[in-house]
């Protein structure tokens, strides 16, 4: 079982990335990129190094389970300025944003 776990985790990660990339047009991906920079960046910093909201880094985002990030984006965080984006985004778009943030966020 010990050797199987890394393989299972790799397959699951690939599935999340595949889901994040399917069914979204190139035009919509561009809109989502702009959304991340403008809307997310307005609190988290245009370079994702923090501001009103916390900083994003590849290390930090990869340490948080995908479903936890999904819930944060979808439902927001009560008692903080983090809004619920779920009413404006599809599930597929939220997964795409998670994959995008993990790809473009600074290393540290």
């Amino acid at each position: 079982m010990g050797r199987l776990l890394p393989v299972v985790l790799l397959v699951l990660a690939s599935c999340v990335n595949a889901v994040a990339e399917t069914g979204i047009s190139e035009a919509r991906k561009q809109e989502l990129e702009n959304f991340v920079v403008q809307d997310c960046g307005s609190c988290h910093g245009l370079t994702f190094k923090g501001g009103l909201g916390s900083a994003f880094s590849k290390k930090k985002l990869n340490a948080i389970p995908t479903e936890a990030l999904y819930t944060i984006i979808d439902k927001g965080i009560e008692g903080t300025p983090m809004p619920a984006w779920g009413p404006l985004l599809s599930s597929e778009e939220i997964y795409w944003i998670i994959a995008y943030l993990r790809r473009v966020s600074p290393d540290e």
Side-chain angles (χ1 to χ4, degrees), residues 19-72:
V19 168
E21 293 294 332
T22 60
I24 299 176
S25 71
E26 289 303 315
R28 182 61 178 154
K29 288 178 186 178
Q30 184 62 52
E31 291 172 354
L32 292 171
E33 285 181 25
N34 291 337
F35 168 81
V36 169
V37 170
Q38 296 300 317
D39 292 276
C40 302
S42 67
C43 286
H44 295 282
L46 294 176
T47 59
F48 307 128
K49 293 187 178 182
L52 177 64
S54 62
F56 297 148
S57 70
K58 285 180 175 60
K59 183 178 180 180
K60 181 177 180 179
L61 290 172
N62 286 324
I64 301 170
T66 298
E67 289 308 314
L69 291 172
Y70 180 95
T71 299
I72 291 169

Side-chain angles (χ1 to χ4, degrees), residues 3-15:
R3 292 182 189 164
L4 185 58
L5 184 58
V7 173
V8 170
L9 292 175
L10 181 62
V11 169
L12 287 174
S14 297
C15 290

Side-chain angles (χ1 to χ4, degrees), residues 63-99:
I64 301 170
T66 298
E67 289 308 314
L69 291 172
Y70 180 95
T71 299
I72 291 169
I73 295 169
D74 184 42
K75 307 275 188 224
I77 302 174
E78 191 173 332
T80 74
M82 178 63 193
W85 293 107
L88 301 175
L89 300 167
S90 71
S91 292
E92 191 172 39
E93 290 170 338
I94 293 173
Y95 282 117
W96 187 91
I97 288 169
I98 293 166

